[in-house]
Amino acid sequence: MKQNNMKRILYIVALALLGTTLAMGQGSPLPLLEGNTSARTLALGKVRGAGAKDMYLYTNPTAFLANGATFQVDGNIEIFPKLEFGRELQYTLSGAWSFAPSHALFVGGRYSGGLKIEVEGMPGEKVESSFRPYSLSADLGYAYAVEHWGFFAKGSYHRTALQIEAETYLFGAGVSYLNQYTLFGKGVEYGLHAIIDGVGAPLRYRASNDSYTIQPTLELSTDQTLSLAEKHQLTLILGARGTLKEGPANYRAAGVGLEYSYDQLLDLRLGYDYHTLRDHSLGFGIGGKLYGVHLDLGYQLGFRTYSVNTLMVTAGYAF
């Protein structure tokens, strides 16, 4: 009995340390909610809603209808630095299908894992064990567009296993407005976007009656695309996001990004992300598209924290 009690205590201590590591200072037991799902987004200040071009279910589903494709599938991997517990990897898969004019369905999944936590007993105790934490989600979404407006709703099932399994169901929704204007004789296409996410039931732990309330988040963003010449475009992206309720994981963040595009074939990206709970970061990226296939690379460089530095690769196909 004494050994079992000690083992339980050590697990709880390990979980507390792991939760801090996975959340990167966010204080959230569901790091997938704040995780990056697109190399383009990572490079452009982590602003999800503005000017999305891939991973639509996790960036902005309404952008898929605006971009005019019938079907698109994207995959993404985020590679974190190697730390004491190993190297964390996050995988994301997203599919989009416009089954009728102005209507689209989305399906996707996320998985984060790769760490191994060793648990040892106190002197005199024979408690030795290890576990591999992970988080996953299964996600569905729907988008509808009418004239300049786009609307979407989505739902997700989340499960996290930090030795003790927990699960919840969460929902999100968003609206976008797209239009254009003229600036110094040049055409400017712009979008205004609002996305709310993380609304739903508390995260409940299976081994106990404990629960954790997930804080909903709101993001407001805009993208402004200026046609410099026939084959040259420059896009400015601005966004602000944060939690809607007060709590230990309450935060405010803002991002800015600049993207240069040549003939819809090559993109160069630069961005900055400000966050009140974690390290600020710079983003760099490059992307290319040919015959419906796209490949994007993004890198995040933290100002003070090594664990923030991540590499991301996104690839996909659209027709």
Side-chain angles (χ1 to χ4, degrees):
M1 178 67 68
K2 182 178 179 181
Q3 185 177 2
N4 290 336
N5 289 338
M6 179 60 69
K7 185 175 182 179
R8 182 177 180 83
I9 292 173
L10 292 171
Y11 277 151
I12 293 174
V13 172
L15 295 179
L17 294 174
L18 180 60
T20 302
T21 301
L22 287 177
M24 298 289 186
Q26 299 167 44
S28 171
L30 288 178
L32 289 179
L33 289 180
E34 269 282 295
N36 299 299
T37 58
S38 166
R40 182 177 184 272
T41 299
L42 181 73
L44 293 174
K46 300 181 182 177
V47 182
R48 293 186 301 163
K53 295 181 179 179
D54 56 27
M55 305 299 298
Y56 292 106
L57 181 56
Y58 306 106
T59 53
N60 188 346
T62 64
F64 173 68
L65 292 173
N67 291 342
T70 300
F71 176 81
Q72 182 162 336
V73 59
D74 301 297
N76 181 78
I77 179 172
E78 184 171 15
I79 306 171
F80 293 85
K82 188 173 183 179
L83 302 175
E84 178 184 359
F85 301 133
R87 185 187 302 276
E88 183 183 1
L89 301 173
Q90 180 172 321
Y91 307 91
T92 308
L93 184 65
S94 173
W97 174 42
S98 180
F99 62 92
S102 301
H103 299 267
L105 291 176
F106 305 83
V107 62
R110 292 169 286 184
Y111 177 86
S112 177
L115 303 181
K116 182 178 181 181
I117 311 300
E118 300 288 346
V119 180
E120 298 181 358
M122 301 293 288
E125 297 288 340
K126 296 182 178 180
V127 180
E128 294 184 2
S129 184
S130 65
F131 58 92
R132 296 182 179 273
Y134 69 88
S135 296
L136 61 82
S137 74
D139 314 281
L140 294 172
Y142 166 78
Y144 171 72
V146 53
E147 295 184 351
H148 298 291
W149 294 90
F151 307 88
F152 80 84
K154 65 179 181 178
S156 302
Y157 166 74
H158 286 265
R159 175 184 291 183
T160 180
L162 307 180
Q163 179 60 28
I164 302 174
E165 290 189 345
E167 59 186 5
T168 187
Y169 293 90
L170 299 174
F171 302 90
V175 57
S176 295
Y177 176 79
L178 306 178
N179 213 329
Q180 58 186 4
Y181 61 91
T182 301
L183 180 66
F184 303 121
K186 301 289 186 180
V188 178
E189 297 179 352
Y190 73 93
L192 304 174
H193 317 276
I195 297 174
I196 187 171
D197 205 359
V199 179
L203 183 68
R204 297 195 178 278
Y205 294 88
R206 292 184 174 184
S208 66
N209 294 323
D210 296 332
S211 64
Y212 184 98
T213 300
I214 303 299
Q215 295 197 47
T217 61
L218 174 67
E219 179 186 282
L220 302 175
S221 64
T222 181
D223 53 276
Q224 310 278 328
T225 300
L226 172 65
S227 296
L228 301 174
E230 182 179 356
K231 296 183 179 181
H232 304 268
Q233 290 182 324
L234 193 63
T235 300
L236 173 66
I237 288 178
L238 300 170
R241 64 192 188 277
T243 49
L244 297 178
K245 298 180 180 179
E246 295 296 327
N250 184 59
Y251 72 88
R252 298 292 182 267
V256 57
L258 196 62
E259 179 182 58
Y260 165 76
S261 301
Y262 173 73
D263 200 23
Q264 298 184 352
L265 296 175
L266 177 67
D267 301 310
L268 301 177
R269 302 167 182 133
L270 177 66
Y272 170 74
D273 176 56
Y274 168 82
H275 203 291
T276 58
L277 282 189
R278 65 184 182 211
D279 194 6
H280 316 324
S281 63
L282 287 174
F284 311 89
I286 185 172
K289 184 177 181 180
L290 187 64
Y291 298 115
V293 178
H294 75 90
L295 176 65
D296 298 88
L297 302 177
Y299 186 77
Q300 175 181 261
L301 178 65
F303 281 79
R304 299 182 302 271
T305 308
Y306 169 74
S307 60
V308 173
N309 302 344
T310 57
L311 174 66
M312 183 172 289
V313 181
T314 305
Y317 175 69
F319 64 86

